[in-house]
Amino acid sequence: MVQNQAHRRSEDAEPGDSGICGAILTALSWVVVVCTLPFSLFVCFKVVQEYERAVIFRLGRLVSGGAKGPGIFFILPCIDNYARVDLRTRTYDVPPQEVLTKDSVTVSVDAVVYYRVSNATISVANVANAHHSTRLLAQTTLRNVLGTRPLHEILSDREAISNTMQTSLDDATEAWGIKVERVEIKDVRLPVQLQRAMAAEAEAAREARAKVIAAEGEQKASRALREASEVIGDSPAALQLRYLQTLKSISAYNSTIIFPLPLDIVSYFGKAVEAMESNHPTTSTSTSTIRLHSS
């Protein structure tokens, strides 16, 4: 539809405007070409590259057949004019745009737009400068799209924003013969005060998680100690072994350590002394001395 509009413009003028005059000027142009052979061949034959197309205007009208190229094409001197159109993909770095988000936060956002000319004839006939128009539209679309989204979506959902921008730009530039291939959000700059606030919030969240993890660890350790105490309570020998292991670990350090004597050992020696008193009454005095020292 858009392409037909460009061709229709060359057919809307009245026949008298360029019918007879056009035929006369075309005939004179051919006469000039024939009279100046072979030098006129250097003017009449043009070459465009594989990535280029030539849009030819004859007496101000588009020549039927659309854009020419790649390769050699022929033009008539004095009455033909042509424009070269580059079909390669171009990159436009959108400058940082100050955007007010939906939740009233001012951010600076820049993006990259990849686009190319999809229809050389329309890009020349329908718009004065297709590239400049596309770049201005990219800036406006970036502000419009980001202005409808809150800050957390801009920071976390860049792919969806890029797809929305690409679709919006592609629909708008179709009438200009431009195809927007890709849009990427390059950087989002936040105000310094907002950065500090977000950093403080993230730090508080990390501290809260650390406290929760520490509390869970203490809870698990308490359960493990309770289970260990139950096991040790069922076997008194296990308590003595644990005590000896503790003494061994303490003795690894070269220092003086004062530790209490286990009550079980004291009671054992007390029973031994009582047995000696009952068996040997004559040693009561020495036994009393021993009991005194042991106590």
Side-chain angles (χ1 to χ4, degrees), residues 110-128:
D110 54 355
V112 181
V113 179
Y114 300 89
Y115 69 96
R116 62 179 175 84
V117 177
S118 60
N119 192 312
T121 303
I122 295 176
S123 67
V124 174
N126 286 14
V127 61

Side-chain angles (χ1 to χ4, degrees), residues 1-50:
M1 177 179 177
V2 178
Q3 187 176 5
N4 292 335
Q5 293 177 356
H7 291 288
R8 197 177 298 121
R9 291 179 181 178
S10 62
E11 300 173 357
D12 288 341
E14 296 181 0
D17 293 343
S18 60
I20 299 176
C21 294
I24 294 173
L25 291 176
T26 303
L28 292 176
S29 179
W30 277 109
V31 170
V32 172
V33 171
V34 173
C35 294
T36 58
L37 285 175
F39 302 103
S40 60
L41 298 180
F42 296 98
V43 179
C44 296
F45 287 100
K46 302 294 182 181
V47 178
V48 291
Q49 304 298 326
E50 180 67 30

Side-chain angles (χ1 to χ4, degrees), residues 145-200:
V145 171
L146 296 181
T148 60
R149 294 176 178 266
L151 179 61
H152 67 90
E153 289 187 7
I154 296 176
L155 296 176
S156 61
D157 201 6
R158 295 188 181 185
E159 185 176 357
I161 296 175
S162 299
N163 294 334
T164 302
M165 283 190 59
Q166 190 268 335
T167 302
S168 178
L169 281 174
D170 194 26
D171 293 341
T173 57
E174 183 181 2
W176 303 340
I178 299 294
K179 172 66 177 178
V180 179
E181 297 179 337
R182 190 180 183 91
V183 178
E184 291 292 341
I185 302 297
K186 188 167 64 173
D187 192 14
V188 179
R189 299 182 183 89
L190 304 177
V192 177
Q193 296 179 353
L194 183 59
Q195 292 180 9
R196 293 175 180 174
M198 294 179 66

